[in-house]
Amino acid sequence: MAEQDPNSQPESALKKHFHRMGGRRAERFTELMPGVLVCVTIALATTFIADHYGGPVMLYALLFGMSLHFLSEEGRCLAGVEFASRTILRIGVALLGVRITVEQISELGFGPILTVIVGVTTTILVGYAVARMLGLPKDLGLLTGGSVAICGASAALALSAAMPRHENHERNTILTVVAVTALSTIAMVTYPLLVSVLGLSDDQAGIFLGGTIHDVAQVVGAGYIISQHTGDVSTFVKLLRVAMLVPAVMCFIFIYRQQRQAEKGTGGKVPMLPTFLVGFIVIVIINSFGLIPPVAVEGLTDLSRWCLVTAIAGLGIKTSFQKLAVVGWKPIILMVVETAFLLLLVLGFILIGGVGS
């Protein structure tokens, strides 16, 4: 009778374990792929349209996604659409950190930094207060205030990812993205005209455009319309606002953590620092040491943009026109007030406070 190898049973069990893990991953991949491919296809189509015919790619992706809302109700695409609107979104937000370095922030000087910090903080608070005055949920006020104050659609997606989910969560996010994208496009066209009327210097114009226009792409477009120097300054100021995502998201996490603890009345489990925010901070630090080559920075920036467009396509698929129509005009009024407040505040810092002089 042959002697049994004592190691054969554990080795066989280990193989079975890895085989089961591989099988689960393959099943998960098969489950996610149809929905993710739909979102990627929307991202490709809307990017082509935006590149060749102009217009905001985020808005196009939203509208294309919303036209395919039936895919989110049932069927093979459901899991992949959910994955795109959550996991791919967080990857895209984390990769936003590749645009920022500590050196860029320090080069701006104290005046623009103070302007950005005060502008972001007070605009979010104004959003909260005006939302309560209009009878809107405080969640919507904080979300819209953060998107207007920081970096438009990207901030809306990042802050939304840090907020607790409820039945109107996706609807509020979509509303915010649509409105802030439209307002940012209007600002890109009208704010350079305002700069000319007010006779601002190139430095002042850069601080004004970078401190007020919502989305990064629109800031770049408006800044370089005026001059190369204005474009550079406006881009740096805008990136400083993007960097404010970190403290903003951390504050949102703290706010909702305290709220949940109060509601539960116990020390129950609440969300800790999210992985995507840690990734954002780590990438900023690595980039600040010059460890990411320029070619990689460009590639990761493009990857971040693709992830965000893909994610917003997924959010669009999950949202119906019918649900959006129920909300009415109050959220639009809210975001117009936030935008006007931020504009007047930054102009006050420039014209009265002497920032950029």
Side-chain angles (χ1 to χ4, degrees), residues 62 65 275 334:
L62 270 177
T275 305
L334 170 64

Side-chain angles (χ1 to χ4, degrees), residues 15-59:
K15 285 181 179 179
K16 288 180 180 179
H17 173 71
F18 282 115
H19 180 72
R20 283 196 300 269
M21 286 181 61
R24 284 196 294 267
R25 288 174 181 171
E27 289 176 5
R28 180 63 173 163
F29 180 83
T30 304
E31 181 186 16
L32 295 178
M33 195 47 52
V36 171
L37 283 177
V38 170
C39 295
V40 170
T41 302
I42 293 173
L44 289 168
T46 53
T47 300
F48 177 85
I49 293 171
D51 289 345
H52 288 77
Y53 300 100
V57 65
M58 291 284 194
L59 185 57

Side-chain angles (χ1 to χ4, degrees), residues 208-223:
F208 171 66
L209 297 176
T212 55
I213 298 178
H214 311 75
D215 285 313
V216 175
Q218 277 84 347
V219 169
V220 173

Side-chain angles (χ1 to χ4, degrees), residues 142-191:
L142 293 172
L143 182 62
T144 56
S147 67
V148 168
I150 301 173
C151 56
S154 299
L157 296 174
L159 295 172
S160 174
M163 298 171 78
R165 289 181 169 264
H166 50 78
E167 60 178 349
N168 294 325
H169 182 80
E170 277 85 11
R171 186 194 68 185
N172 290 345
T173 303
I174 293 296
L175 273 171
T176 303
V177 170
V178 170
V180 82
T181 302
L183 289 170
S184 185
T185 303
I186 294 170
M188 180 183 67
V189 176
T190 58
Y191 284 12

